[in-house]
Every structure is written in structure tokens, then in C-alpha cells.
Amino acid sequence: MTAEADLGFSGEKLVAERLTIIGSGPAGWTAAIYAARATLDPLVYEGAFTEENRQMGTLPLGQLALTTEVENFPGFPAGNMTGYLDAAIDESKRRYMAPHGGHGVSGPELMELMRQQATNFGTRIRTDDIVDVDFSVRPFRLRSLSGEEFESHAVIVATGARANYLGLPSEDTYKNRGVSACAVCDGALPRFRNQPVVVVGGGDSAMEESTFLTRFASRVWLVHRRDSFRASRIMAERVLANPKIEVKWNSVIEEVLGDDAHGVTGVRIRGARDQAVTEVLPATGYFAAIGHTPNTGFLRGQLQINDKGYVVWTTPQRTFTSVAGVFAAGDVADDYYRQAITAAGTGCSAALDAERWLAAQGIH
Ligand code: NAP
């Protein structure tokens, strides 16, 4: 049951939610599982299936839905999960997941499992974005993309982060025609098969994307602006040992090349140290893997945000934000660990923090 409150506009009396969770990655679903089991009747805004969200990489189920094997989420060792997945996830969703033998769990599978688990305990879900919030009033006020306006006594922000691009005009020109920030989503497309492709970046994402692309591409150029990777050693070693990957050290992308008929045809790189040195790498694909930006645009100054755009946790070891009753979980507030398991962990913390805060307000 939800508590009722007088909105005070249009004389309309609306139902105020007790707890609204914005976001549908591991943080959002873990918060929902805990909140639902605590009978808080949580409402999750999982995001909308819009073209803009597709382009930005902010579709429902978050970044894990854009990845392949998840080898480091505890509880899913390599093995045949088929029977369990068939029993746990609705067949209509299973149909869209690639068969996945022997490698534990995939990102999309893990996210569907979490969503299903939250649903099993009664979580209500809206496939819609929250586009506006007012945290200066109580209960808080929220508005969705579809125009739904409502109130909520507590809110958990778990909107995650999205992939960055370099910001070159030529990246925009060829988006979806060879330019991508998600090899896992797009790598298997015909235009990349048996063709050379380029990846830019030197972190774990760049390692993962390059390695993944070798399944399809004839060759992967990995362009990095420095002479060493920031990626974890095991992933960097995998890249360096892969004969299909060639690293272009100390190099930056100057322009993505292409034409209307073919989309991307290559990239022009230039030396990061010796700027006079340029080279054209022929390629049908260009994949940006240069880090992430938190999805905090809809907050519009309503919460304290740090200089990188992440929501600030104001109290050590708590998911409190600068507004009492608003909690943050997962990558939207974490630019340091950024792992599925840490996001899930803070999602759990946020639900417990919200439950205790609501109880202290006398909202049950
Ligand atoms: P990241 O670790 O921040 O690395 C970003 C990379 O892009 C860096 O190498 C950086 O170069 C480069 N870069 C940034 N801006 C650039 C620019 N304007 N021009 C050229 N290069 C630029 O980001 P990430 O790789 O996305 O990883 C984020 C987090 O997710 C990490 O914690 C990572 O461990 C985790 N992750 C884990 C896995 C996995 O375990 N399977 C997979 C993917 C990501 P510099 O090095 O010179 O700064």
C-alpha cells in the first residue's frame, strides 16, 4: 500500500509512492529486491526504449545488457546454466538471448534474472524515463518522459553511467554506420565481418572490446594515447598475446574517415608525441572505449554532484546524498570501483538506508 498525500496543484489528490527507484542496472534491481522484500512496494523506472537512449547506450537494463560473459559476478561459475535460465526467465525474453554454453552467465541474462527476481517479490516496473525531479518539496516530485507526474517519499537514484565518445564531428557523422561505443552490441554486424576495425582506449573496456571484436574482424587496431595500458594486467596480457590485435601506442584519433556510400572506411591517427606523424588505418568500424559519463542530466542541480558529474555520497559508508530521503547507488555515484557486484552492493545499502529513513519519518 502506498501513502497518500495532497499535491497542492490543480486541486488534484494523487497517490504518493513510498519508494521510487530510478534505473535498472544491478544497483536498481538489487535495491528493488530488498525494498520489495521489506514490503516497501517499490516502483522502478527502468528507462524507455527510445532511439536517443539506444544511441547514448542508456536503454533499460543498463551497461551489463551491452556486454557478453560476466565472469566475475559471484555465484555464476562457468557451467551449463541453460536449465536454470529456462526455468527462471520468461521464454519470451530468453528467445532474444544468444545461447550461452559453458561460460557462466552473460550480462543480458544476469540483468533479466535480477529483473525477474525483483518482479517475483512484487516490484512494479514502468518502462519509462524520469526526466525531471523536484527534491525541494516533500514528498518529492517526479515527471516521466511519457508525461506521468507523481510524488514519492523516498527516491533511489541508480541511473548508472554511459560510454563516452571523443567528440569528433566525424564520430557523429558515421554513428550507426561504422561508429559505435559497444562492440558487444554491434560487433557481429555484417559490415565488420572479416574487415579491419579500430578501437580507441587503454582501459579494461578497450581490452574487452578489442578481444571481442577479433571474433569477427580480420584485424583490430587498438589506438592508445600513451605507451602503457591502464587496464588490468590479465586483460592487457590477453590483448598483447592476440595475433589479430595490433596496438598503435602514443597515437590519437584525428578523424574518422568515410563516405555516404560506405559509412566508415578508416581513421586517421596522429602521433601523441610527434604530431607531424599521421597514418590512415583502413577500417569499416571505429569503436570508442574511453570511459563513461554518469547519467545525472535529469537531476539538474537537485543533488550535489562532483566535478566529474557523479552524485556525491555525503556520508562515509552510507548511500545518503545531499538531500535527506534521496539515496544513490551504483555507477551514478561511483567513479572508482564501477563493477556489477559493487553496484549491486550499494543498491542493497540504498534500500536499507531508504527503509530506515522512511521508518524514521513514520512512513510505513
Ligand atoms: P577507464 O578505465 O577510465 O579507461 C579509459 C581509457 O580511455 C584510458 O586508457 C584513457 O587513457 C582513454 N581515454 C580517455 N579519454 C580519452 C581521450 N579523450 N582520448 C583518448 N583516450 C582517452 O574506462 P573503462 O575502460 O571504460 O573502464 C571503466 C571501469 O570499468 C574500470 O574500473 C574497469 O576496470 C571496469 N571494466 C571492467 C571490465 C571487466 O572486468 N570485464 C570490462 C570493462 C570495464 P589514459 O589511460 O591515457 O587515461
Side-chain angles (χ1 to χ4, degrees):
M1 292 291 289
T2 48
E4 287 202 344
D6 192 348
L7 259 183
F9 56 86
S10 322
E12 209 180 349
K13 198 170 162 73
L14 293 183
V15 172
E17 297 293 335
R18 262 180 298 182
L19 173 62
T20 302
I21 297 166
I22 313 172
S24 57
W29 293 126
T30 306
I33 291 164
Y34 272 76
R37 293 192 74 246
T39 66
L40 289 179
D41 193 22
L43 176 65
V44 171
Y45 272 76
E46 67 174 346
F49 287 98
T50 60
E51 178 56 24
E52 187 185 350
N53 281 345
R54 203 193 73 75
Q55 293 242 354
M56 296 217 317
T58 53
L59 286 172
L61 304 186
Q63 296 179 85
L64 269 188
L66 307 176
T67 192
T68 47
E69 287 87 17
V70 179
E71 295 175 337
N72 53 10
F73 199 92
F76 297 92
N80 190 346
M81 295 268 297
T82 309
Y84 169 58
L85 290 165
D86 284 345
I89 301 176
D90 191 76
E91 205 223 322
S92 62
K93 305 224 157 142
R94 287 285 290 140
R95 262 190 282 140
Y96 298 106
M97 295 180 187
H100 187 75
H103 297 284
V105 73
S106 76
E109 287 166 351
L110 185 58
M111 295 323 300
E112 285 293 351
L113 287 168
M114 288 191 193
R115 186 183 193 274
Q116 187 62 51
Q117 195 171 353
T119 309
N120 292 351
F121 291 115
T123 298
R124 293 165 299 135
I125 300 169
R126 300 269 191 282
T127 306
D128 199 356
D129 282 330
I130 294 297
V131 293
D132 214 355
V133 295
D134 185 352
F135 292 154
S136 68
V137 295
R138 299 293 174 97
F140 306 122
R141 189 169 297 173
L142 300 92
R143 184 181 296 115
S144 77
L145 184 64
S146 67
E148 199 182 350
E149 192 162 334
F150 65 101
E151 294 184 326
S152 189
H153 290 285
V155 170
I156 294 175
V157 176
T159 43
R162 63 180 183 276
N164 291 341
Y165 287 91
L166 289 173
L168 301 169
S170 52
E171 284 176 321
D172 272 348
T173 308
Y174 299 112
K175 250 184 206 161
N176 295 328
R177 288 189 298 152
V179 169
S180 168
C182 182
V184 174
C185 327
D186 300 330
L189 294 174
R191 67 169 296 123
F192 305 124
R193 293 206 176 229
N194 302 313
Q195 301 291 334
V197 299
V198 171
V199 175
V200 59
D204 282 336
S205 296
M207 305 303 121
E208 190 174 65
E209 306 243 321
S210 311
T211 306
F212 179 77
L213 284 165
T214 58
R215 294 186 195 184
F216 313 103
S218 58
R219 166 180 225 171
V220 177
W221 309 98
L222 177 53
V223 178
H224 183 42
R225 63 184 175 184
R226 291 188 296 123
D227 61 2
S228 65
F229 290 137
R230 115 183 2 254
S232 55
R233 215 169 109 190
I234 184 169
M235 293 179 76
E237 280 173 359
R238 216 174 277 167
V239 160
L240 294 171
N242 192 320
K244 280 177 115 178
I245 302 174
E246 183 170 335
V247 184
K248 291 285 180 186
W249 302 103
N250 300 308
S251 300
V252 296
I253 307 277
E254 200 167 58
E255 194 181 356
V256 181
L257 306 171
D259 57 50
D260 281 350
H262 302 97
V264 172
T265 57
V267 300
R268 188 168 61 248
I269 60 171
R270 131 176 96 67
R273 291 176 179 162
D274 184 351
Q275 308 217 345
V277 178
T278 62
E279 184 181 353
V280 170
L281 306 176
T284 60
Y286 159 86
F287 293 83
I290 55 163
H292 294 83
T293 298
N295 298 314
T296 48
F298 71 102
L299 293 171
R300 286 182 242 283
Q302 295 280 326
L303 289 182
Q304 190 185 340
I305 300 286
N306 72 15
D307 55 1
K308 294 182 193 164
Y310 289 79
V311 175
V312 173
W313 278 317
T314 50
T315 308
Q317 308 296 321
R318 298 287 180 270
T319 61
F320 303 169
T321 69
S322 55
V323 175
V326 180
F327 307 88
D331 286 14
V332 75
D334 175 17
D335 67 347
Y336 186 73
Y337 294 110
R338 298 184 289 191
Q339 301 299 305
I341 187 64
T342 52
T346 54
C348 163
S349 303
L352 296 177
D353 287 343
E355 182 189 352
R356 286 167 197 169
W357 185 82
L358 285 166
Q361 309 302 306
I363 300 164
H364 300 286

